RNA sequence: GCGGGCGUAGCCAAGUGGUUAAGGCAGUGGUUUGUGGUACCACCAUUCGCGGGUUCAACUCCCGUCGUCCGCCCCA
């Protein structure tokens, strides 16, 4: 048997309601803030990610699905994240020429070659947002506020917002040296991975999970003390705006994100219910990326939410919103079966959800299925009804039923809908 | 790439060396051939992920392999 590849999976109907709920919520909330959806390709030239994300990062170094294009010598990569592609599209389509800011969002699959574990897949899905052409701290705060809005609208609580500033390029270079000077004496107490990072990317030592390393990192000089006055001011304003918005946060001096393009604000929204992969939403400012990829100097800020992780959280909160029929249409006999589809279609066109039993089995069996389908009423179409173009409408809760002409039924669908809404007990 | 747990029906599982592999849910048929939700009855794994080995005897022990889950690394 051919199975789905490791790290990929099918999202089945029993789960799809959560996905649709997330997508609907995102569309609504971002729509109100007048963000526009953008759809970029799922594969791009490898160089885009190498330059955008950074050659030294793990994502580029060991996690990309890269292959050669058929017949060509072009190296192609399945996107491991969304920002690089959106920025490429922004530059290529000269969206910057429209002046002002561009507010964009996207959703879709991403690909990273990693060992699957809780909340991590090789093909996974993100919804992300990019605010391009805005240097102001208000941009950082708007973007964070929207992420919180989405998560709250979905009913999630107990989420924590961690925030930090990694400053601009010079701030980081300066801090890097300060940090290395501090860590050097403790070199032998660090875990193996962190020893390696001491030269490659010392900032990442800060968020090591090794307890010994964490203790050392706790007392390390803080990056915000190395920030230039302008960088510090930017960060302070962002924090003040969050406070004004009534958004709780905590400064996490050890928060440094893994992609090279981040500058200034970096943040993560985490949950305790996700196992080792606690981050539901991660993002920050990336003022240098557009220029790095060949566009004009453009400041920007954005985030990405991991859909799988969000679905895991939603599953703990509520049951899957399921698409159930309003009416279940039961039919038996040649003429009745012939009429049944037409009647179902006519009813569907009025806005009712009608499930048609196609089995042709005994009425008893069809009713049993109708009962389980979640419908509030069955429509019964047998030989007698077919003969005089009527149908039996049977309310399942009360058991009462009435014969009614098919055309009369079609004329009273509005009435039916209000009754069904009442019986279903929700919209 | 490294470390650990687990693979018995569509799902949840019991069985841990000895003739026919519990049970529950779901499904199908029936009691009820034009009326459901309850109840009762019947059917539903020649086989325990796969391959090899040990043994008179393997779902059970051993080796390998594949899959899956959890963790490290990294990230959403």
């Amino acid at each position: 048997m051919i199975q789905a590849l490791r790290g990929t999976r099918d999202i089945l109907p029993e789960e799809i309601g959560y996905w649709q709920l997330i997508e609907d919520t995102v569309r609504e909330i971002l729509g109100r803030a007048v963000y526009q959806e953008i759809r970029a390709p799922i594969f791009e030239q490898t160089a885009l990610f190498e330059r955008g994300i950074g050659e030294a990062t793990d994502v580029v170094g060991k996690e990309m699905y890269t292959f050669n294009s058929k017949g060509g010598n072009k190296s192609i990569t399945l996107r491991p994240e969304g920002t690089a592609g959106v920025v490429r599209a922004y530059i290529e389509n000269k969206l910057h020429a429209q002046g002002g800011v561009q507010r964009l969002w996207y959703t879709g699959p991403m690909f990273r070659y990693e060992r699957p574990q809780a909340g991590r897949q090789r093909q996974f899905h993100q919804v992300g947002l990019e605010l391009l052409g805005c240097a102001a701290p208000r941009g950082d705060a708007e973007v964070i506020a929207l992420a919180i809005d989405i998560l709250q609208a979905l009913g999630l609580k107990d989420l924590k917002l961690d925030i930090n500033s990694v400053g601009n390029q010079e701030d980081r270079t300066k801090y890097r040296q300060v940090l290395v000077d501090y860590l050097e004496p403790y070199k032998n107490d660090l875990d193996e991975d962190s020893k390696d990072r001491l030269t490659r990317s010392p900032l990442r030592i800060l968020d090591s999970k090794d307890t010994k390393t964490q203790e050392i990192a706790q007392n390390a000089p803080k990056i915000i003390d190395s920030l230039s006055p302008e960088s510090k001011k930017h960060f302070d304003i962002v924090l003040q705006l969050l406070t004004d918005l009534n958004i709780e946060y905590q400064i996490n001096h050890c928060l440094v994100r893994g992609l090279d393009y981040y500058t200034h604000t970096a943040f993560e929204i985490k949950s305790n219910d996700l196992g080792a992969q606690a981050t539901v939403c991660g993002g920050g400012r990336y003022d240098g990326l557009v220029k790095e990829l060949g566009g004009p100097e453009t400041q920007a800020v954005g985030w990405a939410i991991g859909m799988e992780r969000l679905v895991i959280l939603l599953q703990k909160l509520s049951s899957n919103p399921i698409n159930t029929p309003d009416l279940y249409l039961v039919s038996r006999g040649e003429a009745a079966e012939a009429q049944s589809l037409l009647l179902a279609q006519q009813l569907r066109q009025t806005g009712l959800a009608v499930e048609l039993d196609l089995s042709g089995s005994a009425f008893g069996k069809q009713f049993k299925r109708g009962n389980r389908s979640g419908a509030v009423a069955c429509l019964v179409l047998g030989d007698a009804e077919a003969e005089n173009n009527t149908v039996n409408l049977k309310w399942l809760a009360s058991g009462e039923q009435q014969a009614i002409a098919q055309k009369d039924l079609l004329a009273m669908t509005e009435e039916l809908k209000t009754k069904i809404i009442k019986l279903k007990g929700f919209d």
Side-chain angles (χ1 to χ4, degrees), chain A residues 141-189:
Chain A
E142 169 171 302
V143 149
I144 292 171
L146 289 169
I148 303 270
D149 264 2
I150 289 168
L151 298 171
Q152 277 181 350
L154 289 168
L156 297 174
K157 304 179 208 72
D158 304 323
L159 297 175
K160 269 178 30 198
L161 169 62
D162 276 16
I163 191 166
N164 196 16
S165 173
V166 295
N168 60 29
Q169 202 60 54
E170 297 88 73
D171 299 337
R172 267 226 299 274
T173 314
K174 186 171 136 203
Y175 177 64
R176 191 187 158 115
Q177 194 53 53
V178 172
L179 184 63
V180 172
D181 290 345
Y182 164 81
L183 289 172
E184 199 64 47
Y186 297 100
K187 189 171 177 181
N188 292 324
D189 296 328

Side-chain angles (χ1 to χ4, degrees), chain A residues 176 179-180 183-210 212-214 216:
Chain A
R176 191 187 158 115
L179 184 63
V180 172
L183 289 172
E184 199 64 47
Y186 297 100
K187 189 171 177 181
N188 292 324
D189 296 328
L190 297 174
D191 60 283
E192 287 307 310
D193 291 316
S194 294
K195 273 179 205 164
D196 288 349
R197 295 203 202 105
L198 203 50
T199 47
R200 274 189 305 120
S201 62
L203 300 215
R204 294 254 304 283
I205 294 173
L206 292 174
D207 65 352
S208 167
K209 279 183 191 166
D210 184 85
K212 195 88 195 276
T213 303
Q214 274 183 343
I216 297 168

Side-chain angles (χ1 to χ4, degrees), chain A residues 73-101:
Chain A
N73 40 16
K74 216 165 247 181
S75 177
I76 286 173
T77 293
L78 300 181
R79 63 182 184 197
E81 57 97 52
T83 301
V86 170
V87 168
R88 197 224 78 240
Y90 172 85
I91 297 167
E92 185 168 340
N93 297 290
K94 300 191 168 40
L95 299 185
H96 47 82
Q98 297 175 10
V101 304

Side-chain angles (χ1 to χ4, degrees), chain A residues 326-330 363-364 367-368 370-371 375-381 385 391-404 409 416 419-420 423:
Chain A
D326 300 320
L327 301 171
Y328 192 89
L329 178 46
V330 153
F363 275 117
F367 269 93
K368 197 170 214 154
N371 201 49
V376 291
C378 276
L379 289 170
V380 190
L381 192 47
E385 290 80 7
V391 63
N392 253 13
L393 173 60
K394 174 165 181 174
W395 298 96
L396 288 170
S398 64
E400 62 184 87
Q401 62 179 322
Q402 62 187 115
I404 183 168
L409 181 74
L416 271 178
K419 182 157 184 187
I420 287 166
L423 285 170

Side-chain angles (χ1 to χ4, degrees), chain A residues 227-239:
Chain A
L227 297 182
S228 67
E230 303 81 60
S231 296
K232 183 74 168 59
K233 187 176 173 201
H234 182 98
F235 189 44
D236 287 340
I237 295 174
V238 172
L239 296 180

Side-chain angles (χ1 to χ4, degrees), chain A residues 294-310:
Chain A
E297 177 100 38
T298 304
Q299 289 79 12
V301 57
W303 48 249
I305 287 174
M307 297 276 275
E308 279 80 0
R309 292 181 189 177
L310 202 43

Side-chain angles (χ1 to χ4, degrees), chain A residues 13-14 17 319-325 373 424 426:
Chain A
E14 62 183 31
S319 54
N320 186 31
I322 290 179
N323 186 19
T324 55
S373 73
K424 276 192 164 179
F426 55 88

